[in-house]
Amino acid sequence: MTYGSPALRRAVLLANQTIPKAGLAQLTWGNVSGIDREGGFYLIKPSGVAYDELTEDHLVPVDLETGKVLAGDLRPSVDSESHRAFYLAWPSIGGVTHTHSTNAVAFAQANRDIPVLGTTHADTFNGPVPVTRTLTPDECATDYELNTGRVIIETIGDDEAAAATPAALVANHGPFTWGATPQKSVENGIILEAVAEMALKTLALNPNASTPAHLQERHFKRKHGPGAYYGNPRP
Ligand SMILES: [Zn+2]
């Protein structure tokens, strides 16, 4: 049995292939998933398969409730349980991306939030991109990937908060991003990496840099919410 509509399978494959194209990860690092809410499962990259060999047939269907693989011989990405935690916590999301993109990882390893230093950040993230607390020895010893998801949910909050800031940094690890679709989640990963690089350079030039709250709000609201006016409808 094949899980997922042709559109979902295509979307998850393309979003995974975007990771190396956008320079967000090396080797087989990183993974994207996309969910079928009605079917109660998500499709995720298999563990350890090279991006240039990845096909739709490799995508692993995972049961949303149990975390069990529904078909095939391939193991899902080791981060599957983190993805599952997000889908269960945040009903409005449709895709999740994890990468080890360099500049976002630098903030994660420094245990620092990415502060809002300009409009590029404010266009997508409604406030600093937070870094989680460090996982405890117990959280690392048992259900590590599930606890990684949980610590992000603890940091971000509810579904509305997840939609407003679709990214977080796991302390000493790296970024997770999410969105309404798999492609949106990987786009948020690209934006996050660009914003992290800009922030590092800005802080090197001026460690006290900041952005006024009214400018942040203007930029976030022109792209999000009832008064949004950025872009054009697709033909
Ligand atoms: Zn990782």
Side-chain angles (χ1 to χ4, degrees):
M1 174 173 174
T2 301
Y3 281 84
S5 67
L8 180 65
R9 297 168 66 77
R10 185 92 189 125
V12 175
L13 177 67
L14 287 176
N16 272 290
Q17 289 170 336
T18 301
I19 287 184
K21 271 189 209 151
L24 297 181
Q26 320 211 23
L27 302 171
T28 63
W29 306 347
N31 40 74
V32 184
S33 68
I35 193 165
D36 179 329
R37 292 271 175 197
E38 280 187 13
F41 64 88
Y42 56 93
L43 296 176
I44 190 165
K45 182 180 177 285
S47 185
V49 173
Y51 286 104
D52 57 4
E53 292 171 8
L54 190 66
T55 69
E56 290 179 21
D57 292 336
H58 290 127
L59 300 175
V60 182
V62 179
D63 188 287
L64 180 61
E65 289 303 320
T66 66
K68 294 216 160 60
V69 172
L70 292 167
D73 302 326
L74 293 173
R75 283 203 300 242
S77 156
V78 288
D79 301 305
S80 181
E81 283 291 279
S82 309
H83 291 238
R84 193 165 75 85
F86 301 144
Y87 289 128
L88 287 170
W90 301 324
S92 68
I93 68 167
V96 174
T97 294
H98 174 52
T99 80
H100 283 211
S101 65
T102 304
N103 292 286
V105 167
F107 275 89
Q109 293 186 165
N111 277 274
R112 284 196 60 173
D113 296 352
I114 305 175
V116 189
L117 297 175
T119 64
T120 321
H121 182 130
D123 279 339
T124 299
F125 307 113
N126 190 20
V129 173
V131 65
T132 68
R133 65 172 171 79
T134 305
L135 270 74
T136 65
D138 279 354
E139 286 170 332
C140 285
T142 311
D143 295 332
Y144 169 63
E145 290 80 12
L146 180 60
N147 289 327
T148 297
R150 283 177 176 156
V151 78
I152 287 180
I153 295 160
E154 173 190 311
T155 303
I156 289 289
D158 64 10
D159 195 52
E160 195 178 335
T165 301
L169 308 171
V170 182
N172 302 104
H173 181 171
F176 279 84
T177 54
W178 47 86
T181 63
Q183 196 60 36
K184 273 283 170 206
S185 76
V186 80
E187 282 173 16
N188 286 335
I190 294 170
I191 296 166
L192 178 68
E193 177 58 12
V195 161
E197 184 177 3
M198 290 173 195
L200 268 178
K201 290 178 176 171
T202 305
L203 291 170
L205 290 167
N206 178 5
N208 300 315
S210 66
T211 300
H214 60 269
L215 183 63
Q216 285 181 42
E217 194 179 318
R218 177 83 235 169
H219 268 262
F220 188 76
K221 287 193 170 166
R222 69 181 192 166
K223 280 192 150 184
H224 305 269
Y229 58 92
Y230 176 89
N232 282 291
R234 290 192 168 204

